[in-house]
Amino acid sequence: QVQLVESGGGLVQPGGSLRLSCAATGNILSIYAMGWYRQAPGKQRELVAGITSGGSTNYADFVKGRFTISRDNAKNTVYLQMNSLKPEDTAVYYCNADRIWTSGGTYYDRDYWGQGTQVTVSS
């Protein structure tokens, strides 16, 4: 099991910045990748950014050049630095962990989710 706790959300003006944090506990050694998703009211959850255990990153087109995902392995924490925020970035942001492992010849691939943190961009 993996538990994820997000923090850092809040209210910010357009053009401002926020940094989200996600701390992972539990069976963290088998986590292959972690990422951030967001969901606005009435819309589907969408990928914002992801980072693998090897450090490879992936970003949605709508955040490239504005957001940066990073990780601190010593703290078992991933971050999402959000700059130049726009009103359309308003959403609940969820931390995700992808855990991959094998046991007894069986392959497992499981996703874990945090509770979410609200980001509101408004003047």
Side-chain angles (χ1 to χ4, degrees):
Q1 290 288 313
V2 173
Q3 295 79 43
L4 304 173
V5 179
E6 304 103 329
S7 62
L11 175 65
V12 65
Q13 295 183 353
S17 299
L18 284 173
R19 190 179 77 157
L20 306 183
S21 299
C22 175
T25 59
N27 296 321
I28 59 176
L29 293 179
S30 58
I31 295 176
Y32 170 72
M34 296 183 68
W36 290 94
Y37 291 71
R38 71 186 188 187
Q39 187 168 21
K43 296 185 178 180
Q44 293 184 318
R45 189 171 298 185
E46 60 186 353
L47 173 69
V48 177
I51 186 167
T52 69
S53 59
S56 298
T57 58
N58 181 57
Y59 297 93
D61 288 341
F62 53 81
V63 302
K64 287 182 178 178
R66 299 191 297 126
F67 293 6
T68 302
I69 188 169
S70 62
R71 67 182 186 183
D72 185 337
N73 290 331
K75 297 181 179 180
N76 301 314
T77 301
V78 296
Y79 306 93
L80 184 68
Q81 179 66 46
M82 305 185 294
N83 299 325
S84 302
L85 283 162
K86 306 174 182 179
E88 52 262 44
D89 294 320
T90 297
V92 177
Y93 284 70
Y94 296 90
C95 182
N96 169 267
D98 185 17
R99 181 168 173 245
I100 300 175
W101 76 102
T102 58
S103 179
T106 302
Y107 172 82
Y108 297 89
D109 187 349
R110 299 288 185 270
D111 283 313
Y112 302 87
W113 295 92
Q115 288 283 87
T117 184
Q118 177 70 48
V119 172
T120 302
V121 184
S122 176
S123 60

